[in-house]
């Protein structure tokens, strides 16, 4: 049994104290199984919202999903009067935490809304009203509640562009938004009382934060120096037992692995192919050979049919360049290629080098389609895709070697200055 | 027609373009690391640094200025999907 009550004697939801001045006023959603389309949860989730009370003001930090507004308002009413609320903070604008905002603004019209600098243009799109008054804040901005204060940390892209965290120094408490959260519904609420949620924590990171590792590392620079007693995220357990462990875990998960084994001047280039009659494979081997001629490029060649997608995604995340070989089958690249490509949204590919090649019979669309997809994934694709009709000739094999060589040189920044006319670009 | 040259410093490629060409159109084709997201000047993905020829680009619109500010862009930064070449020499690289 927990040491706190979630309801009063009449069965009405009430707030839960994290300290004398900080209360949880969130809601439980035990029936949820799929979140944001991309996440599964086996026991639902919680939408955590909080109240911070100072002797000169009361702040609400985040709200809940719209359907759960009643539960949120009931808990809030058990601890504060609407007229006392001076501040509303939104750590990001996603509807699972802003759903009750319009109603809250009606009930506490005097409260001042604080959002991150980057949230300004999104607020309009979300509330569909003009003339919303708000104060945009950045790292270092503070708001006083008298003997308690809010200190903002600008932590963009974790996982929305407008994400921020809010720190209350007098409580040594970080309101981290979705950062350090997970979809796990457990009414015991605190990490030293709930069931084992580590798998949810890891899973949430892998699907929500992983694409933004670079930004996680930047945010950790701001978070790590803070004296911390408690982390209060917007989903899942409240981290009051050794919160620093979760920060350390985020650092581990966000730090590159393989790079530590490469010398600083080396770069990695991965070649993946799939092939029904061996034609694309012959091309792949020649491209591999060509790329191997360039010093300091660590090239690897893999047949997509020989592995699972997920370890390949890990490899690609840490690589500097990615070359894909695909035949054209029924007017398209075959499904294993698209399976790999559709799994890459969990990693950041921006500015990696990309290249595509493949054998075809009569139409050969596969290569172009994959090139477009790589560009869509924000890779740079400087050298047009290489296509060979059916079985590569000796000359075509040499072209493949040159293609590999050129891509490897491009990767190492060894290509000479080129002057091109726009009209000649494909 | 008036011409401009845009040099992508990250890949060492210079392209001669007709005046009015948006930087992103060229960047995408030559494979510079200036990559795009929304293409409408909203998301800030295509942020680039203009190292030479700032005045050879169209001026930022009110919208672009706002997005640049929201993204805390530094001096000499522009959005590649908004900036159009006017003429002369322009040098850019990813921000
Ligand atoms: C079931 C099937 C469908 C195909 N559809 C196309 C197609 O739509 N367009 C095309 O250019 N080639 C098509 N091809 C031809 C292959 O692209 C060609 O045989 C190529 O050389 C195969 O390369 P691989 O040996 O690396 O798999 C098709 C081949 C098969 C077996
Ligand atoms: Fe979110
Ligand atoms: Fe969330």
């Amino acid at each position: 049994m927990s040491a706190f009550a979630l309801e009063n004697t009449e069965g009405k939801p009430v707030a839960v104290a994290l300290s004398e001045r900080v209360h949880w006023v969130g809601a439980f959603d035990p029936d949820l199984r799929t979140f944001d389309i991309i996440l599964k949860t086996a026991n639902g989730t919680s939408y955590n919202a909080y109240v911070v009370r100072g002797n000169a003001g009361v702040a609400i930090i985040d709200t809940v999903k719209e359907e759960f507004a009643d539960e949120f308002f009931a808990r809030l009413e058990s601890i504060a009067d609407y007229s006392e609320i001076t501040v509303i903070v939104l750590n990001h604008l996603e509807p699972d935490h802003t759903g009750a905002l319009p109603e809250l603004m009606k009930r506490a019209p005097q409260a001042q809304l604080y959002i991150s600098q980057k949230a300004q243009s999104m607020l309009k799109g979300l509330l569909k009203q003009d003339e919303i008054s708000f104060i945009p804040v950045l790292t270092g901005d503070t708001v006083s509640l008298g003997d308690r204060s809010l200190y903002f940390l600008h932590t963009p892209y974790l996982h929305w562009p407008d994400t921020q965290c809010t720190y209350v120094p007098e409580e040594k408490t970080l309101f981290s938004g979705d950062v350090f959260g997970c979809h796990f519904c457990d009414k015991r609420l605190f990490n030293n009382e709930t069931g084992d949620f580590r798998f949810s924590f890891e899973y949430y990171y892998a699907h929500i934060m992983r694409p933004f590792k670079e930004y996680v590392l930047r945010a950790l620079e701001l978070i790590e120096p803070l004296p911390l007693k408690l982390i209060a995220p917007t989903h899942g357990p409240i981290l009051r037992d050794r919160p620093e462990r979760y920060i350390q875990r985020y650092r581990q998960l966000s730090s590159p692995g393989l790079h530590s084994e490469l010398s600083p001047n080396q770069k990695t280039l991965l070649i993946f192919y799939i092939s029904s009659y061996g034609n694309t494979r012959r091309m792949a081997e020649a491209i591999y050979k060509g790329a191997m001629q360039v010093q300091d490029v660590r090239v690897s060649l893999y047949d997509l049919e020989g592995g699972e997608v997920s370890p390949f995604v890990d490899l690609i995340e840490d690589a500097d360049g990615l070359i894909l070989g695909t035949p054209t089958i029924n007017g398209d690249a075959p499904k294993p290629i698209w399976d790999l490509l559709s799994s890459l949204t969990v990693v950041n590919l921006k500015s990696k080098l990309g290249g595509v090649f493949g054998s075809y019979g009569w139409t050969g669309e596969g290569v172009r389609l994959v090139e477009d997809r790589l560009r869509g994934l924000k890779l740079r694709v400087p050298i047009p895709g290489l296509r060979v009709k059916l079985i590569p000739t000796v000359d075509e094999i040499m072209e493949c070697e040159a293609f590999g060589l050129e891509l490897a040189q491009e990767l190492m920044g060894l290509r000479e200055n080129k002057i091109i006319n726009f009209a000649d670009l494909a | 027609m008036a011409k401009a040259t845009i040099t992508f410093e990250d890949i060492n490629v210079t392209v001669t373009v007709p005046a009015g060409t948006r930087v992103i159109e060229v960047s995408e084709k030559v494979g510079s690391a200036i990559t795009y997201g929304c293409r409408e000047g909203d998301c800030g993905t295509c942020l680039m640094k203009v190292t030479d020829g700032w005045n050879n680009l169209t001026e930022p619109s009110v919208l672009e200025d706002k997005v640049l500010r929201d993204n805390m862009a530094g001096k000499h930064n522009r959005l590649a999907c908004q900036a159009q070449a006017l003429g002369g020499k322009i040098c850019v690289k990813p921000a």
Side-chain angles (χ1 to χ4, degrees):
Chain A
M1 268 302 290
S2 302
F4 55 84
L6 289 165
E7 292 174 357
N8 64 15
T9 46
E10 290 144 39
K12 221 178 154 205
V14 294
V16 175
L18 308 193
S19 79
E20 202 185 306
R21 302 296 195 85
V22 181
H23 281 78
W24 175 85
V25 291
F28 297 110
D29 184 0
D31 299 327
L32 186 86
R33 292 293 173 268
T34 308
F35 191 88
D36 278 3
I37 306 170
I38 57 171
L39 285 169
K40 293 262 167 221
T41 166
N43 73 354
T45 192
S46 57
Y47 309 105
N48 299 330
Y50 302 93
V51 179
V52 180
R53 178 177 289 275
N55 63 4
V58 169
I60 310 295
I61 301 181
D62 288 319
T63 76
V64 299
K65 204 171 176 176
E66 198 177 0
E67 299 96 283
F68 297 86
D70 289 347
E71 189 177 337
F72 163 74
F73 286 119
R75 291 194 203 282
L76 177 53
E77 286 164 19
S78 77
I79 189 75
D81 199 88
Y82 292 114
S83 64
E84 294 181 292
I85 301 171
T86 51
V87 171
I88 301 170
V89 176
L90 300 174
N91 279 334
H92 77 303
L93 298 191
E94 198 173 351
D96 56 334
H97 310 294
T98 54
L101 178 72
E103 182 59 27
L104 180 62
M105 285 169 48
K106 270 188 219 147
R107 296 187 189 190
Q110 75 288 348
Q112 187 59 255
L113 186 61
Y114 289 84
I115 57 174
S116 80
Q117 184 101 21
K118 271 181 176 266
Q120 298 176 78
S121 65
M122 292 168 81
L123 191 66
K124 246 192 181 160
L126 190 79
L127 294 183
K128 304 289 173 214
Q129 340 171 346
D130 295 319
E131 312 290 319
I132 313 154
S133 109
F134 59 83
I135 298 178
V137 288
L138 277 174
T139 303
D141 287 336
T142 57
V143 178
S144 173
L145 306 171
D147 59 358
R148 294 292 181 274
S149 58
L150 309 176
Y151 173 91
F152 299 104
L153 308 172
H154 182 66
T155 55
Y157 296 104
L158 301 186
H159 63 125
W160 271 27
D162 59 308
T163 306
Q164 61 178 356
C165 295
T166 305
Y167 179 63
V168 177
E170 298 84 357
E171 296 282 338
K172 298 192 175 61
T173 292
L174 181 71
F175 299 93
S176 58
D178 285 344
V179 184
F180 308 121
C182 60
H183 292 308
F184 191 80
C185 184
D186 192 321
K187 296 191 172 178
R188 290 164 292 186
L189 220 50
F190 297 96
N191 68 324
N192 52 344
E193 299 195 11
T194 63
D196 187 348
F197 63 97
R198 283 174 299 172
F199 73 109
S200 288
F201 185 86
E202 302 277 317
Y203 176 79
Y204 193 86
Y205 177 92
H207 288 83
I208 297 289
M209 299 297 163
R210 185 179 178 184
F212 308 106
K213 279 185 175 180
E214 254 178 77
Y215 290 97
V216 173
L217 290 172
R218 278 190 230 170
L220 291 176
E221 294 295 315
L222 299 176
I223 293 170
E224 282 166 342
L226 303 173
L228 268 186
K229 236 169 48 189
L230 188 140
I231 297 175
T234 44
H235 300 285
I238 296 166
L239 310 171
R240 74 173 170 196
D241 179 48
R242 289 173 293 160
E244 65 285 352
R245 286 193 312 155
Y246 297 89
I247 297 175
Q248 284 157 10
R249 187 65 187 139
Y250 259 50
R251 183 162 282 280
Q252 275 171 351
L253 289 168
S254 306
S255 306
L258 181 65
H259 279 293
S260 56
E261 288 161 24
L262 290 172
S263 58
N265 55 339
Q266 287 188 319
K267 295 208 163 155
T268 47
L269 180 61
L270 304 177
I271 306 170
F272 290 97
Y273 65 89
I274 194 156
S275 187
S276 55
Y277 289 94
N279 296 330
T280 305
R281 177 175 183 161
R282 279 180 207 113
M283 295 179 73
E285 284 163 353
I287 290 165
Y288 177 70
K289 191 173 161 200
M292 289 284 271
Q293 290 168 35
V294 177
Q295 219 191 340
D296 289 327
V297 179
R298 280 226 208 158
V299 200
S300 305
L301 178 64
Y302 300 110
D303 183 345
L304 266 184
E305 280 189 297
E308 301 282 331
V309 168
S310 141
F312 288 152
V313 172
D314 294 349
L315 275 179
I316 292 167
E317 180 177 34
D318 270 349
D320 300 297
L322 168 66
I323 307 180
L324 289 179
T326 178
T328 297
I329 306 283
N330 295 336
D332 199 352
K335 190 162 179 293
I337 295 279
W338 292 116
D339 286 345
L340 177 71
L341 289 168
S342 68
S343 303
L344 291 174
T345 46
V346 297
V347 295
N348 177 19
L349 302 171
K350 192 168 185 325
S351 309
K352 288 190 198 293
L353 177 71
V356 188
F357 63 95
S359 170
Y360 70 102
W362 49 95
T363 46
E365 304 87 332
V367 169
R368 284 288 135 72
L369 290 169
V370 172
E371 276 187 278
D372 283 346
R373 177 67 184 142
L374 290 186
R375 288 200 181 96
L377 288 167
K378 305 192 176 35
L379 282 94
R380 54 193 194 88
V381 185
I383 300 170
L386 181 62
R387 295 186 308 170
V388 165
K389 196 169 175 116
L390 297 167
I391 303 170
T393 62
V394 174
D395 282 351
E396 284 166 337
I397 286 294
M398 280 166 64
E399 261 182 74
C400 290
E401 283 179 26
F403 182 74
L405 177 72
E406 220 185 335
L407 275 164
Q409 286 172 333
E410 174 74 41
L411 187 68
M412 297 310 286
L414 298 174
R415 286 220 298 166
E416 276 165 26
N417 187 6
K418 269 205 321 200
I419 298 174
I420 310 173
N421 198 315
F422 188 56
D424 298 335
L425 285 169
Chain B
M1 205 197 309
K3 295 269 183 195
T5 66
I6 308 177
T7 299
F8 295 88
E9 294 186 337
D10 63 322
I11 51 166
N12 217 358
V13 169
T14 301
V15 187
T16 314
V17 301
T21 307
R22 284 176 200 275
V23 177
I24 197 69
E25 296 172 50
V26 195
S27 177
E28 197 186 339
K29 290 196 170 133
V30 297
S32 159
I34 302 168
T35 52
Y36 64 88
C38 71
R39 287 173 171 281
E40 293 172 355
D42 193 25
C43 73
T45 306
C46 65
L47 196 69
M48 63 175 180
K49 186 166 172 126
V50 182
T51 52
D52 196 12
W54 175 271
N55 293 322
N56 292 333
L57 292 167
T58 48
E59 282 199 20
S61 64
V62 178
L63 171 78
E64 185 183 342
D65 255 336
K66 182 160 171 20
V67 173
L68 289 170
R69 255 182 294 120
D70 284 359
N71 283 286
M72 283 154 291
K75 238 169 90 183
H76 306 301
N77 283 0
R78 289 291 308 269
L79 297 179
C81 73
Q82 299 299 302
Q84 289 168 269
L86 292 171
K89 185 170 163 239
I90 299 150
C91 295
V92 296
K93 62 180 185 189

